[in-house]
Amino acid sequence: MADELYLENIDEFVTDHNRVVTYKWLSYTLGVHVNQAKQMLYDYVERRRKENSGAQLHVTYLVAGNLLQNGHVCHKVAVVREDKLEAMKSKLSTIASVHVYSIQKALLKDSSPLYNTDYDIVKTNLQHCSKFSAIRCAAAVPRTPPDAPRAPAPARSPQRQRDPDATAGTVNGHGPRAAKPPPQQHKGIMGMFAAKAAARPQDTPKEAKAEAKEAPGVSAASSKPPTKNSIMNNFFGKAAMNKLKANSMPEQPKEEKEVVKPSVAVAEPESSPNTVAEKPGKKTESDRIQQKDKKSKTKRADRSDDEEESDPENVKKKRKRIKQLLSDSSDEEDVPPSPTPEEERAPSPPPEPALKTELEPSSTEVSAGGRKRKRKRVLKSKMFIDEEEGCMAPTCGLGRCSSDLDEPRQTRMSNRKAQEQDSTAPPRAAPSALEDPLGAGCRRGVPTAPAALRRLLSDPSHRDPSTLR
Amino acid sequence: MFAEQAAPTAQGLLAPPSAEPPTFPRVAVSGYSDCSQPFQLGERSFARQYAHIYAVRLASMRPSLERRARSRWGNDIAVRRLSELQEGEECCVVGTLFKAMQLQPSILQEISEEHNLVPQPPLPKYIQPSDELMLEDELQRIKLEGAIDVQRLVTGTIVAVYGREQDDGRFLVKDHCFADLPPPLPWSGPSSDRFVLLASGLGLGSVSGEALLSTQLLVDVVTGQLGAEGEQSCAAHITRVILAGNLLSQNTQSRDTLNKAKYLTKKTQAASVEAVKMLDEILLQLCTSVPVDVMPGEFDPTNYTLPQQPLHRCMLPLASAYATLRLVTNPYQASLDGVRFLGTSGQNISDIFKYSSMDDYLEILEWTLLAGHISPTAPDTLGCYPFYKSDPFILTECPHVYFCGNAPHFQSKLLQGKEGQRVLLVTVPDFSATQTACLVNLRDLSCQPITFSSFGADSED
């Protein structure tokens, strides 16, 4: 009965599905040794022909043997149709093997269906293509992958430079944050998935650290920016650094303003968005950005859970970036009391998209971590535009009002809005919370925009007006 | 060699399914060592001139040529440099040959405005009756005439000529000789049948698809899926597969980006991308069953100049996961089970073919062995790295198997040398054209071609 099963199977394949059944295809499909598959095919053909001599079956055979050709003995391996089998056998001086190659209903004009069948089945079974073969090679073992850890290494090296900085700054809570970017940066998107999962266990220690952070306050934070500056230099390169410096200028005054707030904000990263305007806004933005970076808009449902847990890290990570940017720009402006992580949360969203949009061109030269940053920035700026409900920066008075720039933003805004309609409530709360800092930032940002910033803002990017906010 | 052993069980599979069919273990590789370190270039600098490679070549081969000259024409012959030549004196001179060919493509002529020449179309052969041979050594050169076949020889060969200088300044050659076979290597080949499959010119990525099934049949025979039990057990004795170049077809070389407008070609992918993916899958099937050495060829994505560096393993992600895949240089030299293999992907032979009257690839292959240099025409007409310390193409030891890939058809010859050298010369045919590969038996240095065929719409073979 087990014997008969394969006959039924072959019958089904050949007659019902009208397939070209090669021995290799049968071997992979039924999971049998190739020689058994060949014998099965032969058995099937014999039985069918015995039962029903008019059976609509065409068979191709494989013939191999020695052939005298051009004066030397050549080993010939040929796939022949049934009608040519005897002719080929007679040509060969010695026959090494004969077996059934394939069975099909229709008469084959050429051998391409045979090739295609084999190609397809091998393609789907590439990982164990020698499983049913008659020869086993003991030497064919996959190499141990020493390359896997090597790939992250280059991305990790810039972060190595951060690590000593982080260890020095554990008081500020940068320790955990520095630890987080490396795993994220070197794996790109996948790293973000992993990092997000890893981020959650880190939440509690981070929160504790964040609270401990407040005590040292500004002074400790101030020690970090210079070192971070150098690290950022390594990351972004000189050209980008100048841009960053110019760009982070508007954030400085905002940072200073927000110094007061962090003490409250940091204590409860999970605090409801309404308690502190900017921080939850940042939090949700960061979460949203992270979510979007992971390219799973469906994850918005999780965001509400993730926000609270991963927010400190995300915000911290963003904060870290912003902080470095801000610290870069500290040369050009009055040096603010270097922002603590909490303070960095405070810098209004406009500075963040400003930073990020400016960072975008520079991030091209950065590794995958920078790329991720770039992605984040894009989303963030768009989201701000969304929540802004059309508060156009040019109207704030910086003198750049290009209506055509608004339109693409509008469409994107509408897209983003549509996407955000699907999200759950907590992300929704963000827009309202964000408007405040945006307005504040807009007001603040305008008078202090220096020439360098204006130069940057004249960059023909559609996102520019958002930076003015 | 397969057929006799396999014949008894040939029809065994024309039967109902039997019990557990046997699985044959692949014969283990007993001794493999890669000897192609001289062909692996590390840091490359092209700031040097090519004169150094000729100087090094002459300096390295001069001693052995002088030895040969003395053994051939007597111990007491005068070996002179060209600067020491005296008119009328019978002496022997060792130097580098240079053949002045009118038809040799010259870029300077092409771009020269005074000539107003249309660029010469590629010809199969560039020889002409008016070609002249010159002998150069470190300082001077002299025109040769006499008992020397001008048409047959090519630039870059180190030769010892015996004759005298005539009054018109030419050297009248009475006899000449080359370095002859290099000293032999000790033989430690296997005592049982071990096979190495040589194939070249798979030509993936070509427009035509007839060769694809033949390639699949080749892979199936080697991996033991095809054939009856006897044949499979013989195939288990194949210890290695060497793919000698041109894994990609010439069709993958055309770059529309050079000719067409950018807006037409912006989104198109290079033809070699698909071809390399196909190559990766084929190599994966082979690598799971047998050690494979992959040599690059003329149309493969690696550097153009000899020695060609191995293909980068990032192009073959699936196959390079296996330790059985070895990406090697062209030329390639390795010791398999005590048998020394040396071979190229055929660029050296086909270049000599273009500039010499020799028509037979096997004859050219033998001639390079006798001349003691794998590729004398490099760097003159064949691209070569500007070596200056040593010329790695000089044959210092006589290999046991000397092959070249991408030949028009299969030929093989067992050459016996005076000092006990035994060399199997094999010209591996282009698989995409001939569907033929070679099986070399390491035990007795015999070679058998293996041909694959399928049925087409018209062929009745």
Side-chain angles (χ1 to χ4, degrees):
Chain A
M1 13 78 179
D3 302 340
E4 309 308 312
L5 258 177
Y6 70 82
L7 289 172
E8 285 167 15
N9 287 334
I10 300 175
D11 195 39
E12 185 188 336
F13 296 136
V14 177
T15 44
D16 300 341
H17 300 171
N18 221 355
R19 277 190 151 280
V20 172
V21 180
T22 59
Y23 75 93
K24 206 195 275 189
W25 188 92
L26 192 69
S27 157
Y28 278 111
T29 313
L30 297 184
V32 294
H33 194 277
V34 283
N35 288 355
Q36 274 186 326
K38 295 167 195 166
Q39 288 169 328
M40 285 178 187
L41 287 177
Y42 176 78
D43 198 27
Y44 172 78
V45 170
E46 289 296 302
R47 288 193 198 208
R48 274 294 292 272
R49 293 232 167 113
K50 246 187 282 184
E51 297 162 13
N52 176 11
S53 59
Q56 179 73 303
L57 270 186
H58 288 102
V59 190
T60 58
Y61 289 88
L62 180 104
V63 186
N66 276 358
L67 178 70
L68 197 66
Q69 197 174 50
N70 297 340
H72 46 245
V73 177
C74 152
H75 191 82
K76 191 161 175 76
V77 177
V79 177
V80 292
R81 282 195 290 252
E82 199 172 4
D83 42 355
K84 303 283 181 302
L85 176 63
E86 293 306 319
M88 178 59 78
K89 275 161 84 169
S90 59
K91 257 202 249 181
L92 300 174
S93 58
T94 328
I95 297 176
S97 42
V98 182
H99 63 77
V100 176
Y101 192 87
S102 78
I103 303 180
Q104 55 277 338
K105 237 172 148 181
L107 180 67
L108 292 178
K109 284 285 187 309
D110 62 38
S111 41
S112 45
L114 299 177
Y115 175 73
N116 292 336
T117 314
D118 280 346
Y119 180 79
D120 291 335
I121 196 69
V122 168
K123 191 96 189 260
T124 49
N125 289 298
L126 269 180
Q127 286 319 307
H128 34 88
C129 41
S130 278
K131 199 164 151 190
F132 303 113
S133 131
I135 297 179
R136 288 263 181 285
C137 181
V141 288
R143 276 189 243 252
T144 52
D147 315 317
R150 260 199 276 129
R156 205 175 302 183
S157 46
Q159 279 133 49
R160 287 280 146 68
Q161 300 159 21
R162 283 210 207 158
D163 285 344
D165 181 36
T167 50
T170 32
V171 193
N172 282 337
H174 289 302
R177 209 200 303 162
K180 224 173 71 84
Q184 287 194 344
Q185 301 223 346
H186 69 222
K187 284 177 202 152
I189 298 168
M190 290 318 295
M192 290 200 289
F193 282 106
K196 199 143 174 73
R200 279 180 223 155
Q202 295 178 25
D203 283 345
T204 37
K206 276 206 181 152
E207 286 151 21
K209 281 206 167 89
E211 285 162 356
K213 229 184 310 189
E214 301 182 29
V218 174
S219 55
S222 57
S223 63
K224 292 224 62 179
T227 44
K228 286 244 180 296
N229 206 349
S230 59
I231 293 165
M232 283 299 288
N233 268 329
N234 297 327
F235 239 111
F236 288 101
K238 291 286 178 343
M241 285 321 294
N242 298 335
K243 271 194 179 178
L244 292 174
K245 285 186 185 184
N247 196 25
S248 54
M249 280 175 308
E251 283 84 35
Q252 293 296 353
K254 291 163 203 145
E255 274 196 358
E256 291 156 9
K257 187 178 177 186
E258 305 297 347
V259 171
V260 190
K261 295 198 183 178
S263 51
V264 179
V266 163
E268 320 137 311
E270 303 90 38
S271 61
S272 64
N274 301 323
T275 50
V276 181
E278 307 90 10
K279 190 173 71 67
K282 285 272 175 60
K283 196 166 52 166
T284 52
E285 286 161 38
S286 61
D287 281 335
R288 235 176 278 121
I289 290 168
Q290 277 222 332
Q291 293 292 352
K292 286 208 167 125
D293 288 337
K294 293 178 192 179
K295 292 183 181 149
S296 57
K297 310 246 183 323
T298 56
K299 268 201 178 177
R300 287 182 197 235
D302 302 332
R303 263 209 241 142
S304 45
D305 309 325
D306 295 340
E307 271 175 43
E308 301 172 347
E309 296 169 358
S310 58
D311 181 45
E313 292 81 39
N314 305 341
V315 183
K316 276 176 196 164
K317 195 168 15 80
K318 274 204 306 304
R319 247 186 277 131
K320 190 181 187 181
R321 256 201 307 281
I322 297 164
K323 190 172 187 168
Q324 291 162 359
L325 296 168
L326 291 167
S327 58
D328 298 336
S329 66
S330 63
D331 309 339
E332 302 187 26
E333 267 202 349
D334 44 338
V335 182
S338 347
T340 56
E342 304 84 66
E343 292 165 359
E344 289 197 337
R345 255 189 237 171
S348 49
E352 280 207 16
L355 268 175
K356 292 184 160 72
T357 53
E358 291 307 328
L359 279 176
E360 266 175 35
S362 55
S363 65
T364 48
E365 56 231 38
V366 182
S367 59
R371 211 189 318 128
K372 178 179 62 110
R373 223 167 283 158
K374 176 183 180 177
R375 224 179 292 126
K376 272 197 172 185
R377 237 169 283 131
V378 170
L379 293 163
K380 207 172 169 64
S381 63
K382 285 178 188 163
M383 283 196 294
F384 278 121
I385 296 163
D386 285 341
E387 289 111 29
E388 278 278 298
E389 301 283 337
C391 165
M392 296 300 125
T395 63
C396 286
L398 260 180
R400 288 193 66 234
C401 184
S402 36
S403 54
D404 53 337
L405 288 177
D406 299 346
E407 277 183 356
R409 241 185 309 121
Q410 290 284 5
T411 52
R412 248 175 298 110
M413 279 161 53
S414 51
N415 288 341
R416 291 275 167 252
K417 270 207 172 73
Q419 285 156 1
E420 285 181 21
Q421 300 302 327
D422 308 334
S423 62
T424 54
R428 289 297 205 77
S432 59
L434 284 170
E435 272 156 19
D436 253 353
L438 275 173
C442 185
R443 282 196 306 276
R444 258 205 313 275
V446 172
T448 59
L453 178 60
R454 234 174 270 128
R455 203 183 340 110
L456 281 167
L457 295 173
S458 60
D459 176 24
S461 153
H462 55 261
R463 285 183 283 277
D464 274 343
S466 71
T467 67
L468 300 176
R469 264 181 266 121
Chain B
M1 39 191 110
F2 271 11
E4 293 78 21
Q5 278 171 286
T9 53
Q11 318 254 7
L13 294 180
L14 293 174
S18 55
E20 199 54 42
T23 314
F24 308 100
R26 173 84 57 195
V27 285
V29 174
S30 64
Y32 170 78
S33 72
D34 188 4
C35 310
S36 47
Q37 282 80 23
F39 303 121
Q40 284 162 3
L41 304 170
E43 276 290 311
R44 276 167 263 181
S45 156
F46 287 88
R48 269 184 291 278
Q49 295 213 352
Y50 284 104
H52 303 289
I53 192 175
Y54 285 117
V56 156
R57 196 182 289 179
L58 182 58
S60 317
M61 292 183 72
R62 186 184 278 279
S64 62
L65 268 164
E66 284 179 8
R67 257 198 317 273
R68 275 275 295 143
R70 286 185 204 282
S71 70
R72 191 177 164 118
W73 300 310
N75 253 328
D76 51 350
I77 54 160
V79 179
R80 296 261 183 267
R81 306 258 162 146
L82 282 176
S83 52
E84 302 157 0
L85 272 186
Q86 286 161 26
E87 195 182 313
E89 185 195 4
E90 292 261 328
C91 59
C92 162
V93 187
V94 177
T96 317
L97 278 179
F98 175 77
K99 188 152 95 168
M101 290 179 284
Q102 197 183 14
L103 285 180
Q104 183 175 353
S106 163
I107 186 67
L108 296 176
Q109 272 193 327
E110 277 178 35
I111 62 177
S112 160
E113 283 170 7
E114 37 188 68
H115 287 262
N116 273 342
L117 278 183
V118 180
Q120 194 185 41
L123 294 173
K125 278 196 185 289
Y126 293 100
I127 54 174
Q128 266 210 316
S130 61
D131 296 337
E132 287 179 335
L133 262 186
M134 273 168 259
L135 189 76
E136 294 186 4
D137 70 359
E138 291 90 349
L139 298 173
Q140 297 185 355
R141 57 164 28 193
I142 193 166
K143 211 170 267 188
L144 294 178
E145 55 187 20
I148 194 159
D149 188 349
V150 180
Q151 301 299 310
R152 200 164 175 268
L153 298 174
V154 288
T155 305
T157 322
I158 309 292
V159 71
V161 290
Y162 185 68
R164 60 184 173 81
E165 186 188 356
Q166 292 173 298
D167 44 2
D168 61 353
R170 294 176 201 224
F171 194 92
L172 185 65
V173 178
K174 273 172 66 176
D175 196 9
H176 67 281
C177 77
F178 300 101
D180 210 12
L181 287 177
L185 277 173
W187 170 258
S188 54
S191 49
S192 59
D193 273 348
R194 294 266 173 101
F195 298 102
V196 170
L197 185 85
L198 291 171
S200 83
L202 290 182
L204 299 173
S206 68
V207 180
S208 75
E210 299 111 34
L212 285 176
L213 182 66
S214 306
T215 315
Q216 192 61 51
L217 291 176
L218 171 72
V219 171
D220 288 344
V221 166
V222 174
T223 56
Q225 305 197 5
L226 214 59
E229 281 174 18
E231 181 147 8
Q232 286 167 342
S233 75
C234 290
H237 291 280
I238 296 179
T239 57
R240 205 161 199 96
V241 173
I242 299 180
L243 296 175
N246 281 357
L247 308 151
L248 265 49
S249 136
Q250 192 173 13
N251 298 338
T252 60
Q253 298 297 296
S254 68
R255 286 179 56 198
D256 282 343
T257 50
L258 293 175
N259 306 330
K260 286 193 186 165
K262 187 137 177 139
Y263 72 95
L264 288 171
T265 58
K266 200 166 177 180
K267 297 272 173 77
T268 55
Q269 205 182 45
S272 50
V273 175
E274 265 311 309
V276 169
K277 279 193 206 154
M278 227 187 310
L279 174 70
D280 195 21
E281 286 158 16
I282 290 180
L283 284 179
L284 175 68
Q285 293 175 51
L286 278 176
C287 287
T288 52
S289 178
V290 68
V292 184
D293 294 340
V294 181
M295 291 166 63
E298 193 181 344
F299 306 127
D300 293 327
T302 184
N303 61 316
Y304 164 72
T305 53
L306 285 189
Q308 281 185 302
Q309 299 303 291
L311 297 172
H312 200 284
R313 61 179 181 80
C314 71
M315 289 193 288
L316 309 167
L318 300 169
S320 52
Y322 285 86
T324 41
L325 179 76
R326 281 195 68 90
L327 297 164
V328 295
T329 56
N330 168 32
Y332 175 51
Q333 186 169 205
S335 186
L336 311 176
D337 287 332
V339 179
R340 177 70 72 92
F341 275 70
L342 171 65
T344 65
S345 299
Q347 290 114 314
N348 54 333
I349 308 296
S350 57
D351 198 61
I352 297 174
F353 176 85
K354 279 193 265 184
Y355 297 99
S356 159
S357 61
M358 292 189 275
D359 279 328
D360 190 19
Y361 269 56
L362 191 68
E363 185 189 349
I364 299 174
L365 193 66
E366 186 180 349
W367 180 82
T368 60
L369 192 61
L370 294 173
H373 199 276
I374 297 175
S375 172
T377 52
D380 184 40
T381 43
L382 186 61
C384 177
Y385 176 76
F387 293 104
Y388 70 104
K389 281 207 191 122
S390 67
D391 186 352
F393 301 118
I394 298 174
L395 289 163
T396 49
E397 297 162 319
C398 191
H400 298 120
V401 179
Y402 186 45
F403 65 91
C404 88
N406 297 299
H409 28 258
F410 167 80
Q411 283 167 296
S412 83
K413 178 176 170 181
L414 190 61
L415 195 64
Q416 303 275 3
K418 279 195 291 252
E419 296 166 28
Q421 298 103 334
R422 225 163 50 110
V423 192
L424 174 68
L425 302 170
V426 185
T427 57
V428 186
D430 188 3
F431 192 84
S432 57
T434 59
Q435 282 91 50
T436 309
C438 311
L439 271 173
V440 175
N441 190 345
L442 298 181
R443 180 177 56 86
D444 56 1
L445 284 186
S446 60
C447 182
Q448 189 183 48
I450 179 164
T451 318
F452 302 89
S453 73
S454 57
F455 53 91
D458 47 357
S459 75
E460 290 301 311
D461 189 11

